[in-house]
Amino acid sequence: MASKAPKAKPAARRAAGLLAAAAFAALAIAALAQAEVVRQGNLQGSFNGGISPSSLPRTALAPVQVTMGGKIATTDRSVPPKLERIALAINRNGRLETKGLPTCSLAKLNSVTAAQAKRSCEGALVGHGNVTSRVSLPGQGAFASNAELLAFNGKLNGHQAVLAQVSSGAPLPLTYVIAFEVKKTGGTFGTSLVATLPPIASEYGYISAFSLALSRRYESHGQQRSFASASCPAPKGFTRVPFPFAKASYSFADGRTLSATLERECKVSGK
């Protein structure tokens, strides 16, 4: 006759519950510690991201995935000013390469669904992510709109660009493009992605959070290439090094700007 498993005592159950809660809290704190949070008055912004893999050659470039994201809020829960511009800068030891990679045009991405955009420009796809907007329509309460983001290699005013097509479903279908112009800069951060944001829900909404992951391997003229690649800038004699990975700047309609820099660590692969 099979015996029944003994029931846990109330004290043991409470202890297990406390341990589980403590473990969850520790994970949440660790995740939060990875983000940089900046404030100006009641306005608050965060910036998070990283590079994968973090084990990279010292001098040669290797394929990577670059992930960046952020959140906008206020400390008093009031509606934040309109976010007008986002600038994302990547360390000079990283590179975005487009040689031999197809491009997509703004015309093919405007007013279409994510599925339609992918069918039209699949060869130019270089990343993905999501965007959360807060929308408050006249006569209705505020609600969140979560949208899929697809990033395509493109051109803007004749320059290299990352065209982020954003498409959401119910309760309010929204479709728009965030066009990031790719600029080569000097100093610590060698590549910048700069975008002026379009109106959200006919000015009744604002972007409260976003994430963007850039990664694409492709073949061109018989050679394997990577849209995003990087090396580990460790000095000779060191196998690990912290480095300024990326910087974000958020510019708002009321004139305020929030900027944050992420420090990350990489490891030298091989000898």
Side-chain angles (χ1 to χ4, degrees):
M1 181 177 179
S3 60
K4 294 183 179 180
K7 293 183 179 180
K9 295 181 179 180
R13 287 199 299 269
R14 284 196 298 271
L18 289 171
L19 285 173
F24 179 82
L27 288 172
I29 291 171
L32 183 62
Q34 294 294 309
E36 284 292 323
V37 179
V38 289
R39 297 183 183 90
Q40 191 176 141
N42 68 333
L43 187 59
Q44 177 176 292
S46 67
F47 182 45
N48 201 352
I51 188 169
S52 178
S54 59
S55 182
L56 298 165
R58 192 185 304 273
T59 55
L61 293 170
V64 295
Q65 175 173 276
V66 175
T67 304
M68 295 175 284
K71 293 182 179 180
I72 304 299
T74 56
T75 55
D76 58 5
R77 298 193 177 186
S78 61
V79 176
K82 178 187 174 185
L83 177 61
E84 294 187 327
R85 183 176 179 270
I86 297 177
L88 305 172
I90 304 170
N91 187 279
R92 64 175 179 241
N93 289 284
R95 185 177 72 180
L96 299 181
E97 180 184 5
T98 59
K99 185 177 181 179
L101 187 63
T103 60
C104 187
S105 66
L106 279 169
K108 290 183 178 180
L109 299 177
N110 279 319
S111 303
V112 299
T113 65
Q116 291 170 329
K118 192 171 182 180
R119 281 197 300 269
S120 298
C121 296
E122 188 169 11
L125 188 65
V126 294
H128 64 276
N130 57 70
V131 174
T132 300
S133 301
R134 295 290 299 176
V135 180
S136 183
L137 298 175
Q140 300 184 33
F143 60 91
S145 173
N146 297 310
E148 180 181 5
L149 180 154
L150 295 176
F152 298 91
N153 178 45
K155 294 286 185 180
L156 184 65
N157 301 322
H159 299 106
Q160 181 187 351
V162 173
L163 304 180
Q165 200 262 6
V166 181
S167 178
S168 68
L172 179 66
L174 295 173
T175 301
Y176 55 91
V177 178
I178 302 174
F180 288 93
E181 185 176 348
V182 179
K183 299 181 178 182
K184 304 299 181 183
T185 56
T188 301
F189 302 101
T191 303
S192 293
L193 286 75
V194 182
T196 298
L197 300 184
I200 308 299
S202 300
E203 302 286 2
Y204 289 112
Y206 63 90
I207 291 177
S208 58
F210 75 93
S211 68
L212 173 64
L214 297 173
S215 176
R216 169 72 188 276
R217 297 193 191 193
Y218 63 101
E219 184 176 319
S220 175
H221 300 292
Q223 292 187 335
Q224 294 296 319
R225 300 183 182 276
S226 176
F227 176 71
S229 56
S231 61
C232 182
K236 189 175 181 180
F238 293 83
T239 58
R240 290 180 180 270
V241 64
F243 69 101
F245 158 66
K247 179 180 179 180
S249 293
Y250 308 134
S251 300
F252 298 86
D254 67 354
R256 284 184 283 182
T257 297
L258 298 178
S259 297
T261 300
L262 288 179
E263 294 283 336
R264 291 295 182 258
E265 182 181 271
C266 64
K267 177 184 177 182
V268 176
S269 61
K271 295 183 179 180

